[in-house]
């Protein structure tokens, strides 16, 4: 069972690495529900997750998640202690904290540019994450951590990408910047303005062919005349011979 789970994880990781350019260390955003489930199931996240994802990881959370755990009191005190050990990523809710789920969703806006994984047991948050392309989802089931298979949204995105119907916004911007830097944009505009003029005939093709006046060209006609003369002489000789024979008879 463990080998099968590892194979599925490796396959899913390959999908995100190849199509969405995920690289080590993998950044995993965790919420309070995931920390609570890990505590209940005695899972050592820091020790076990790198082996499961087959690469170095950076476990992180946000201030909003920590605030939410503090507000829930003793019931989630253990989960709060676990979350406090992780790196804290800056969110846009410094003055007005929001719920952990809303905060994590804001961290993966605009195509998940920082390549975050989302680790949660919140089913509502998980469903919203699946509606965004290129966001790997982690959850705990039967005392084990599981990397969910790519969502239909991610599969559809990759299919369009392979058909050259869609280019990520950050790639479009980088292409435009490179063209401007190299001056290719102006050159392309100038090429489009220039029209191809209708060309006239090739002057070399208009030249008249020179007649051959060499001795080599005259030799064949002289040869023919000699042959004809020989043939006439041969015919005359044969005619004289036949006349002589008739007279003798």
């Amino acid at each position: 069972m463990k080998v099968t789970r590892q194979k599925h994880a490796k396959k899913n990781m390959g999908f995100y690495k190849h199509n969405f350019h995920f690289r080590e260390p993998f950044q995993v955003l965790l919420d309070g529900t995931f920390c609570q489930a890990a505590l209940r199931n005695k899972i050592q996240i820091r020790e076990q997750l790198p082996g499961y994802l087959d690469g170095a990881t950076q476990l992180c959370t946000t201030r909003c998640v920590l605030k939410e755990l503090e507000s829930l009191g003793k019931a989630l005190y253990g989960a709060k202690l676990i979350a406090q050990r992780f790196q804290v990523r800056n969110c846009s809710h410094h003055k007005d904290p929001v719920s952990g789920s809303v905060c994590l969703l804001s961290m993966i806006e605009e195509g998940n540019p920082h390549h975050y994984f989302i680790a949660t047991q919140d089913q509502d948050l998980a469903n919203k994450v699946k509606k965004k392309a290129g966001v790997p989802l982690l959850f705990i089931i039967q005392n084990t951590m599981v990397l969910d298979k790519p969502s239909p949204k991610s599969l559809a995105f990759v299919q369009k990408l392979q058909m050259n119907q869609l280019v990520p916004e950050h790639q479009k911007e980088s292409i435009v910047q490179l063209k401007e830097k190299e001056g290719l944009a102006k050159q392309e505009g100038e090429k489009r303005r220039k029209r191809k003029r209708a060309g006239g005939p090739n002057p070399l093709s208009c030249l008249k062919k020179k007649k051959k006046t060499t001795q080599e060209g005259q030799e064949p006609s002289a040869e023919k005349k000699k042959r004809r003369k020989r043939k006439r002489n041969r015919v005359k000789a044969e005619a004289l011979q036949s006349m002589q024979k008739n007279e003798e008879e």
Side-chain angles (χ1 to χ4, degrees):
M1 192 71 179
K2 185 178 179 181
V3 175
T4 304
R5 186 170 61 91
Q6 197 71 36
K7 283 184 178 179
H8 284 305
K10 188 174 182 179
K11 181 182 177 181
N12 294 336
M13 284 301 300
F15 174 84
Y16 287 109
K17 286 179 181 178
H18 179 71
N19 295 299
F20 294 96
H21 309 292
F22 276 72
R23 296 289 181 267
E24 296 182 44
F26 304 121
Q27 299 189 85
V28 183
L29 277 173
L30 303 96
D31 70 352
T33 62
F34 192 88
C35 295
Q36 180 68 10
L39 180 64
R40 190 186 307 118
N41 292 285
K42 298 179 181 179
I43 294 173
Q44 301 295 325
I45 304 173
R46 194 181 296 277
E47 287 74 20
Q48 293 176 230
L49 192 55
Y52 178 61
L53 297 180
D54 193 26
T57 59
Q58 284 184 353
L59 304 178
C60 44
T61 188
T62 65
R63 289 186 177 86
C64 293
V65 171
L66 295 174
K67 287 280 186 184
E68 185 179 55
L69 288 171
E70 286 177 6
S71 66
L72 293 171
K74 294 181 180 179
L76 293 176
Y77 180 74
K80 185 187 77 169
L81 292 179
I82 293 172
Q84 285 176 340
R85 298 174 187 172
F86 305 148
Q87 297 179 20
V88 178
R89 290 286 183 266
N90 292 324
C91 62
S92 58
H93 316 111
H94 301 290
K95 295 180 180 180
D96 299 311
V98 295
S99 67
S101 59
V102 172
C103 185
L104 293 190
L105 282 174
S106 70
M107 298 291 284
I108 56 173
E109 290 292 338
E110 300 177 0
N112 193 19
H114 299 290
H115 301 94
Y116 285 125
F117 288 67
I118 297 295
T120 184
Q121 296 296 103
D122 185 342
Q123 193 60 46
D124 183 55
L125 173 58
N127 291 335
K128 290 177 179 177
V129 168
K130 289 178 182 179
K131 293 178 181 178
K132 297 181 180 294
V135 186
L137 181 65
L138 282 162
F139 54 88
I140 294 173
I141 186 170
Q142 296 180 352
N143 302 330
T144 56
M145 289 181 290
V146 177
L147 175 62
D148 198 16
K149 62 183 180 181
S151 65
K153 191 77 173 179
S154 294
L155 294 172
F157 180 90
V158 171
Q159 188 176 6
K160 287 182 180 179
L161 198 63
Q162 290 173 348
M163 294 171 66
N164 294 325
Q165 293 181 354
L166 182 63
V167 178
E169 288 299 324
H170 65 278
Q171 288 188 12
K172 285 183 180 179
E173 291 175 3
S174 61
I175 290 169
V176 172
Q177 288 174 0
L178 283 171
K179 284 186 175 181
E180 289 177 354
K181 185 178 179 181
E182 299 295 333
L184 294 175
K186 292 182 179 180
Q187 291 179 9
E188 287 180 1
E190 290 174 0
K191 286 180 181 178
R192 287 173 187 170
R193 291 191 201 100
K194 289 181 180 179
R195 293 183 179 178
K196 192 174 181 181
R197 296 179 180 176
N202 188 349
L204 294 176
S205 63
C206 299
L207 295 175
K208 293 182 179 180
K209 294 182 179 179
K210 294 181 180 180
K211 294 181 179 180
K212 293 183 179 180
T213 56
T214 57
Q215 292 182 356
E216 292 179 359
Q218 296 174 355
E219 284 180 1
S221 58
E223 288 282 337
K224 286 180 182 179
K225 288 179 180 179
K226 288 180 181 179
R227 286 176 188 171
R228 288 173 187 167
K229 192 174 181 180
R230 288 173 189 166
K231 191 174 182 180
R232 285 198 295 270
N233 293 338
R234 194 186 310 120
V235 171
K236 287 180 181 179
E238 289 176 354
L240 288 171
Q241 288 178 0
S242 62
M243 288 174 65
Q244 290 176 357
K245 286 181 179 180
N246 293 331
E247 290 176 358
E248 288 175 359
E249 290 175 358

